[in-house]
Amino acid sequence: EETNTASLSIRSFYFGDQVQSYMSFIDSVFESVAEKKIQHLMVDVRGNGGGPSYTAAHLLRYLAQKPFTYFDKETRYEDAFSQPMKPYENAYKGEIYILQDEACGSTTGHLLSLLKDQKIGILIGTESGSTFSCNDNSQNFKLSHTGITYRVARSTFTTTAKGLAKNRGIMPDHPIEQSLEDFLLNRDTALEFTYALIKKEKE
């Protein structure tokens, strides 16, 4: 309360048959944030390995201030993703802080690339494990003699983010590494840095 900050943690964008519950939850979060006139919002996607693109797009429409196009024209996905998406009417207008790490994969890299491209929020943490272009639509195979299973991606999904390296993850605006000492003391280095940044901006 002292910093008028809300924190939203999303550890996955895959919800299976519970996807409608996720959508409703995100709606309720931003209704509450608007009602309480929250000035600072932390969105923590550390450890988020991804999921369907529409779940990330639902969140992004609450964070964006102008229309954006999610995928480029070469990506074969739902038609809506190659057309401009408008921010929701009650999209958040305060300060945004995104916590990321190397476990951010697949769709989470897509989300981070669009946040960086659209200059939405301040990215804090470590380089993400995925980027603006990912491969999926995988087919599963099983070796007949050993029983080992493996997957082969058959499609590439690329966002409209520009100027990012294909061989690197999404780089944070504030690189924050957790030291061994911090880990052993169960100290969340990135979270503490974010709170310190918010307090500094309020001074």
Side-chain angles (χ1 to χ4, degrees), residues 12-192:
S12 177
F13 284 118
Y14 180 77
F15 295 92
D17 58 4
Q18 300 297 313
V19 66
Q20 193 54 54
S21 296
Y22 159 80
M23 298 290 199
S24 298
F25 169 70
I26 294 297
D27 294 340
S28 69
V29 165
F30 285 93
E31 286 175 10
S32 178
V33 163
E35 289 172 2
K36 296 179 180 180
K37 298 180 180 179
I38 297 296
Q39 294 177 332
H40 305 273
L41 174 65
M42 287 192 296
V43 180
D44 188 347
V45 291
R46 292 176 295 177
N48 190 325
S53 300
Y54 56 82
T55 55
H58 186 61
L59 172 65
L60 186 54
R61 292 179 68 184
Y62 276 112
L63 303 177
Q65 296 300 309
K66 59 182 180 181
F68 62 91
T69 302
Y70 200 95
F71 284 134
D72 68 9
K73 294 180 180 179
E74 302 301 318
T75 297
R76 298 181 182 277
Y77 199 68
E78 297 176 18
D79 290 343
F81 283 76
S82 59
Q83 304 295 326
M85 292 183 174
K86 294 181 179 179
Y88 289 125
E89 187 175 335
N90 61 331
Y92 182 69
K93 293 179 174 58
E95 299 294 330
I96 300 171
Y97 308 83
I98 311 295
L99 275 64
Q100 64 176 70
D101 65 8
E102 60 279 357
C104 292
S106 189
T107 293
T108 311
H110 286 157
L111 173 68
L112 292 171
S113 75
L114 291 167
L115 290 170
K116 196 169 189 72
D117 182 68
Q118 297 287 316
K119 296 180 172 56
I120 300 170
I122 299 171
L123 277 57
I124 300 166
T126 55
E127 178 181 355
S128 66
S130 64
T131 186
F132 68 97
S133 183
C134 300
N135 303 315
D136 205 349
N137 186 24
S138 303
Q139 184 172 346
N140 295 319
F141 296 92
K142 185 176 182 178
L143 298 179
S144 57
H145 294 291
T146 62
I148 293 173
T149 60
Y150 62 99
R151 300 168 63 194
V152 177
R154 299 176 296 171
S155 302
T156 299
F157 300 86
T158 304
T159 70
T160 55
K162 305 296 182 185
L164 299 175
K166 208 171 187 179
N167 63 340
R168 296 298 301 267
I170 306 304
M171 306 304 293
D173 300 310
H174 293 280
I176 302 296
E177 297 275 357
Q178 187 180 40
S179 68
L180 177 59
E181 181 182 3
D182 287 341
F183 177 78
L184 294 174
L185 293 174
N186 198 29
R187 181 183 297 145
D188 193 331
T189 317
L191 187 65
E192 290 185 4

